[in-house]
């Protein structure tokens, strides 16, 4: 049984201009101790999916339908008081910008203790000890001194470490990381990613990593979900998605990233057109207006998810046309295994 | 590439030559107290005609300041800038230089005036330098420029907020092209854009370069993008130039310890390669530019630090043909 099971989630923002379907039928499951990556461009609904899980959507946003089961317990429909037991305790989140998500008027020790006091039986003194222990764990030097400092006194990388310490203080089952390294430099990004992976292994929690950077996904994720305009294009293991992309959008995305090992500077192949306007969604596949291989059916009807490999699902009519997909999950083939090894060597 | 001569004679092979450029900003650090923030400290480089020089480094390393100082948006504290064999030091030279050198900014949202129509934004350099005599000529030129960057000329009367990020960056590029420049500073032109749009803009910049023989100074922090577009790459750290070489050489065989760790930190979009990749994770943060360590600025984070590093700041020297690095221990 999965730790987290999201089924056919629809989240909309009811704005004055009309309903914006930010998340449009997303399903996935997350197992204990796994790192799941959600990748997509801005407006693809990756953050809103995460916010829906924690029900921290801002005003015009609402979960319209679908189910989110955590440890076989339905989260959709829970009251705010009930959700508070889960947020920061069982499921934690770290945000992109550590400066705006820390309160500038409280010391970081104060903010760290808040979650500990709220969710555990520790008293103030024990909470402070725990806060120092957490800061030490995320690699902050002189934690006894740091807990009396304010967010502005710390560098960007340090602030993100504090956010991670805060999120992990109650030993959650799931850590949601919403673009945790986008605002950081590459050398600091490497530090933070290593820290998250290290703590994930130590504490045995599951991680949902939301990012737009395929490089970050390749570095730390076991499984990947590719999203576009609120829908899941493709999901599967990282190897399957990177070496055997089956959705036209994933393929296009891979082609448009410059290759570090390409010395001849081959021309990039961009995805044509502009991102979709979520207020005016086409009836068919959301990617169809930008897709080079769009067929008549793509514009009329959204494809459902079909199995294209032992551990890969893809929602693209092209696979149906080419006859390389099925509604049943195929057995893992020997050839496939060999192929994986081959690709791994490449 | 980097020479330190007293009397400098320009080389006609190069379009832009920068010598010992310094840019210090006075910062108020207390009551009646100012400290000099050395944003750019003794940087020299050359760019060949039609070439792209990529400038990489972490935030706060001074790469944007280099771009802006080269264009004289900031008055250099010290140093010389030679463009087309002429030293940019008087008003007459500067006016000509401003026409021939343009800039594309990082943020397509704040770099376009929300009260101006696209036509007026694009035509601003034309108006400033009085390049078109009649209204008709001006309008034709605007349409020509909009076509060049793939914008619909029917949208000329619209305002910037009606466009997406990628389209706005196209407007910014059209504006930069309006005065028929030879040299463009691209300051993180694609980092605010989505991956699928990035490739469109990169391809367009490459096409424009071939079409008009443009020379770029391409500033970015994304090394795979810089590698793709540049012929040479220079690496900066805390206002100092650390290493420069051809794009392939620098990414394949970095010599400076900072560049080596920078390259190893770049996430590669390939799980198998990524798993095997040996990462050198640098300890600590970049020091404050107000308190640059004495000697080599990279000293406190360097793995190969020796006693010599604290004594003097290493100068750029040729470590392989066409490959320069500033390190005592290579």
């Amino acid at each position: 049984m999965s730790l987290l099971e999201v089924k056919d989630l629809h989240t909309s923002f009811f704005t004055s201009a009309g309903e914006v379907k930010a998340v449009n039928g997303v399903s996935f499951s997350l197992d204990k101790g796994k790192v799941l990556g959600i990748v997509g461009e801005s407006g693809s609904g990756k953050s809103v999916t995460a916010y829906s899980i924690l029900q921290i959507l801002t005003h015009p946003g609402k979960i319209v339908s679908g189910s989110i089961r955590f440890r076989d317990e339905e989260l959709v429909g829970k009251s705010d008081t009930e959700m508070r037991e889960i947020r920061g305790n069982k499921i934690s989140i770290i945000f992109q910008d550590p400066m705006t998500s820390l309160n500038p008027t409280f010391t970081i020790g104060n903010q760290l203790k808040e979650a500990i006091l709220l969710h555990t039986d520790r008293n103030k003194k024990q909470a402070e000890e725990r806060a120092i222990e957490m800061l030490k764990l995320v690699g902050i030097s002189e934690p006894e001194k740091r807990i009396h400092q304010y967010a502005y006194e710390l560098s960007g990388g340090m602030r993100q470490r504090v956010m991670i310490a805060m999120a992990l203080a109650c030993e959650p089952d799931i850590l949601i990381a919403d673009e945790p390294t986008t605002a950081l430099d590459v050398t600091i990004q490497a530090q933070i990613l290593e820290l998250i992976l290290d703590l994930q292994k130590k504490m045995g929690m599951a991680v949902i990593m939301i990012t737009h950077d395929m490089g970050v996904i390749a570095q730390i994720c076991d499984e990947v979900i590719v999203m576009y305009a609120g829908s899941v294009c493709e999901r599967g293991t990282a190897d399957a998605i990177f070496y055997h992309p089956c959705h036209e959008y994933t393929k296009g995305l891979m082609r448009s990233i410059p290759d570090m090992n390409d010395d001849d500077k081959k021309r990039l192949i961009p995805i044509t057109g502009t991102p979709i306007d979520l207020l005016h969604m086409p009836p068919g596949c959301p990617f169809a207006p930008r897709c080079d291989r769009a067929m008549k059916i793509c514009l009329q009807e959204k494809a459902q998810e079909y199995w294209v490999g032992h551990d890969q699902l893809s929602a693209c009519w092209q696979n149906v046309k080419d006859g390389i997909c099925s509604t049943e999950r195929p057995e893992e083939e020997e050839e496939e295994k060999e192929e994986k090894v081959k690709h791994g060597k490449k | 590439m980097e020479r330190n001569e007293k009397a400098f004679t320009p080389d006609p092979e190069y379009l832009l030559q920068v010598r010992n450029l310094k840019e210090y900003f006075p910062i108020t650090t207390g009551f009646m107290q100012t400290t000099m923030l050395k944003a750019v400290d003794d940087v020299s480089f050359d760019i060949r005609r039609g070439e792209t020089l990529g400038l990489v480094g972490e935030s706060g390393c001074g790469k944007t300041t280099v771009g802006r100082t080269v264009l004289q948006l900031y008055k250099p504290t010290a140093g010389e800038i030679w463009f087309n064999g002429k030293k940019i030091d008087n008003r007459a030279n500067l006016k000509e230089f401003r026409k021939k050198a343009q800039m594309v900014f990082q943020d397509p949202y704040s770099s376009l005036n929300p009260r101006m129509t696209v036509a007026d934004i694009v035509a601003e350099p034309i108006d400033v330098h009085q390049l078109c005599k009649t209204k008709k000529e001006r309008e034709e030129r605007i349409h020509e420029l909009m076509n060049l960057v793939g914008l619909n000329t029917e949208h000329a009367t619209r305002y910037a907020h009606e466009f997406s990020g990628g389209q706005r960056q196209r407007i910014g590029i059209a504006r930069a092209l309006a005065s028929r420049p030879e040299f463009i500073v691209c300051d993180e032109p694609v980092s605010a854009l989505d991956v699928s749009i990035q490739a469109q803009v990169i391809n367009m910049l490459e096409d424009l370069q071939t079409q008009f023989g443009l020379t770029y100074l391409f500033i970015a922090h994304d090394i795979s993008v810089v590698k793709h577009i540049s012929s040479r790459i220079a690496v900066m750290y805390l206002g100092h130039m650390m290493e420069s070489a051809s794009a392939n050489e620098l990414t394949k065989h970095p010599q400076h310890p900072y560049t080596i760790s920078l390259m190893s930190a770049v996430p590669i979009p390939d799980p198998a390669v990524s798993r095997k990749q040996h990462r050198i994770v640098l300890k600590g943060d970049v020091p404050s530019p107000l308190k640059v360590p004495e000697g080599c600025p990279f000293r406190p984070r360097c793995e190969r630090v020796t006693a010599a590093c604290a004594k003097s700041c290493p100068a750029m020297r040729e470590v392989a043909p066409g490959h320069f690095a500033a390190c005592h221990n290579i």
Side-chain angles (χ1 to χ4, degrees), chain A residues 216-316:
Chain A
V216 172
I217 294 280
Q219 193 175 329
I220 73 165
C221 295
D222 304 311
E223 277 157 47
V224 186
I225 299 176
V226 183
M227 284 187 74
Y228 185 79
S231 306
V232 172
C233 294
E234 190 162 14
R235 57 189 166 117
T237 57
D239 284 21
I241 299 289
F242 276 93
Y243 301 129
H244 182 233
C246 283
H247 193 285
E248 288 303 312
Y249 175 64
T250 322
K251 289 182 200 168
L253 207 57
M254 301 282 188
R255 280 195 296 258
S256 61
I257 310 172
D259 183 1
M260 271 295 266
N261 294 319
D262 167 31
D263 286 352
D264 314 328
K265 317 228 153 112
K266 269 182 247 117
R267 203 177 156 77
L268 299 177
I269 306 163
I271 299 174
T272 50
T274 49
I276 197 167
D277 178 4
L278 288 171
L279 270 170
H280 305 103
M281 289 268 269
C285 168
F287 185 61
R290 293 177 77 186
C291 184
D292 297 333
R293 297 179 66 190
M295 302 174 288
K296 229 187 227 163
I297 190 162
C298 299
L299 297 163
Q300 290 158 354
E301 203 182 321
K302 200 169 143 182
Q304 64 173 96
E305 287 188 313
Y306 291 106
W307 290 98
V308 285
H310 176 65
D311 27 39
Q312 189 180 10
L313 279 155
S314 174
C316 186

Side-chain angles (χ1 to χ4, degrees), chain A residues 34-303:
Chain A
K34 287 274 182 214
V35 182
L36 169 78
I38 305 184
V39 66
E41 299 176 68
S42 45
S44 60
K46 53 193 194 304
S47 291
V48 178
T49 305
Y51 296 171
S52 303
I53 294 170
L54 283 171
Q55 298 186 30
I56 47 171
L57 297 158
T58 42
H59 164 57
K62 250 173 99 180
I63 296 175
V64 179
S65 64
S67 122
I68 300 165
R69 295 185 83 79
F70 170 68
R71 289 190 175 278
D72 224 16
E73 191 183 354
E74 182 61 54
L75 296 188
V76 178
K78 266 196 193 289
S79 73
D80 223 28
T81 338
E82 288 170 312
M83 276 312 291
R84 230 173 267 168
E85 282 298 304
I86 290 166
R87 288 184 207 133
N89 191 18
K90 306 260 173 58
I91 307 175
S92 289
I93 186 163
I94 47 178
F95 297 98
Q96 172 175 357
D97 186 356
M99 189 66 222
T100 50
S101 37
L102 283 169
N103 191 328
T105 63
F106 290 106
T107 61
I108 58 160
N110 214 319
Q111 296 177 62
L112 264 164
K113 278 185 279 179
E114 189 190 355
I116 302 167
L117 288 171
L118 205 64
H119 293 300
T120 61
D121 303 330
R122 290 185 173 90
N123 63 28
K124 276 191 181 169
K125 200 166 161 268
Q126 288 166 325
E128 181 156 325
E129 277 162 17
R130 174 76 180 153
I132 292 170
E133 186 191 322
M134 283 314 295
L135 286 181
K136 220 178 264 168
L137 189 68
V138 297
I140 287 181
S141 56
E142 304 170 274
E144 292 86 359
K145 222 169 87 189
R146 297 282 181 197
I147 56 165
H148 301 299
Q149 289 188 323
Y150 292 89
Y152 75 90
E153 294 175 89
L154 307 174
S155 67
M158 291 271 242
R159 281 182 210 137
Q160 203 56 286
R161 282 170 193 267
V162 171
M163 286 298 297
I164 294 170
M166 224 190 259
L168 301 186
C170 295
E171 301 191 352
D173 295 324
I174 302 174
L175 172 72
I176 301 176
D178 185 9
E179 307 240 14
T181 58
T182 309
L184 307 174
D185 285 313
V186 274
T187 58
I188 309 296
Q189 167 170 290
Q191 290 176 3
I192 297 292
L193 290 180
E194 190 162 273
L195 175 72
I196 292 177
L197 261 193
D198 188 38
L199 294 175
Q200 183 259 336
K201 283 195 193 104
K202 252 186 223 162
M203 301 172 118
M205 61 187 172
V207 174
I208 299 180
M209 180 60 125
I210 297 169
T211 178
H212 64 270
D213 190 336
M214 285 301 222
V216 172
I217 294 280
Q219 193 175 329
I220 73 165
C221 295
D222 304 311
E223 277 157 47
V224 186
I225 299 176
V226 183
M227 284 187 74
Y228 185 79
S231 306
V232 172
C233 294
E234 190 162 14
R235 57 189 166 117
T237 57
D239 284 21
I241 299 289
F242 276 93
Y243 301 129
H244 182 233
C246 283
H247 193 285
E248 288 303 312
Y249 175 64
T250 322
K251 289 182 200 168
L253 207 57
M254 301 282 188
R255 280 195 296 258
S256 61
I257 310 172
D259 183 1
M260 271 295 266
N261 294 319
D262 167 31
D263 286 352
D264 314 328
K265 317 228 153 112
K266 269 182 247 117
R267 203 177 156 77
L268 299 177
I269 306 163
I271 299 174
T272 50
T274 49
I276 197 167
D277 178 4
L278 288 171
L279 270 170
H280 305 103
M281 289 268 269
C285 168
F287 185 61
R290 293 177 77 186
C291 184
D292 297 333
R293 297 179 66 190
M295 302 174 288
K296 229 187 227 163
I297 190 162
C298 299
L299 297 163
Q300 290 158 354
E301 203 182 321
K302 200 169 143 182

Side-chain angles (χ1 to χ4, degrees), chain B residues 42-257:
Chain B
D42 209 359
V43 164
S44 304
F45 59 90
D46 307 89
I47 310 180
R48 276 196 187 82
R49 237 169 260 280
E51 185 189 64
T52 302
L53 175 72
L55 196 56
V56 296
E58 297 178 89
S59 53
C61 73
K63 53 192 195 299
T64 297
T65 312
V66 166
R68 294 189 170 196
T69 312
V70 163
L71 289 184
Q72 307 273 324
L73 295 176
Y74 302 137
K75 199 177 181 310
T77 309
E80 293 174 3
I81 295 157
W82 292 76
F83 184 75
N84 256 342
K86 275 186 210 149
K87 192 174 166 188
I88 311 299
D89 55 355
N90 58 45
R91 284 190 83 107
N93 273 350
L94 185 59
K95 193 162 185 221
E96 184 62 23
F97 176 62
R98 285 260 158 90
K99 197 158 79 185
K100 293 282 172 218
Q102 289 288 328
M103 184 150 186
V104 176
F105 295 91
Q106 170 173 12
D107 183 2
Y109 291 82
S110 61
S111 59
L112 303 176
N113 189 335
R115 295 184 171 211
M116 284 164 84
T117 61
V118 172
D120 287 338
I121 290 172
V122 171
E124 209 173 6
I126 301 173
D127 299 342
V128 168
H129 294 289
Q130 292 158 357
L131 297 174
C132 289
K133 300 225 160 43
T134 60
K135 268 197 171 166
K136 193 166 167 274
E137 200 186 327
R138 179 177 180 268
E139 194 181 336
E140 275 168 9
R141 178 75 181 138
I142 292 168
H143 285 180
E144 186 192 333
L145 287 164
M146 288 182 74
N147 281 329
L148 266 179
V149 297
L151 286 169
N152 190 341
T153 50
E154 284 168 20
H155 297 166
T157 52
R158 291 196 184 178
Y159 291 89
H161 72 90
E162 295 171 71
F163 295 89
S164 66
Q167 284 173 311
R168 280 170 199 232
Q169 204 53 290
R170 286 168 193 266
I171 300 171
I173 293 166
R175 172 175 64 184
L177 292 171
S179 62
R180 300 183 198 276
E182 291 172 27
F183 173 61
I184 298 181
V185 174
C186 303
D187 186 6
E188 306 250 12
V190 294
S191 43
L193 306 176
D194 275 319
V195 193
S196 71
I197 307 295
Q198 259 187 20
Q200 291 178 8
V201 174
I202 291 169
N203 278 353
M204 191 178 71
L205 285 170
E206 284 178 338
D207 291 344
L208 293 168
Q209 179 165 43
T210 349
Q211 198 176 345
F212 298 109
L214 294 168
T215 306
Y216 290 141
L217 174 63
F218 195 93
I219 302 166
H221 63 268
D222 187 335
I223 289 149
S224 55
V225 169
V226 173
K227 191 205 165 181
H228 178 82
I229 200 162
S230 312
S231 22
R232 289 184 69 80
I233 299 180
V235 183
M236 278 186 77
Y237 184 78
L238 276 177
H240 291 261
M241 202 67 108
M242 293 308 217
E243 185 164 7
S244 81
S246 75
N248 291 346
E249 168 82 6
L250 191 99
T251 45
K252 287 264 149 63
H253 311 289
Q255 297 283 329
H256 196 286

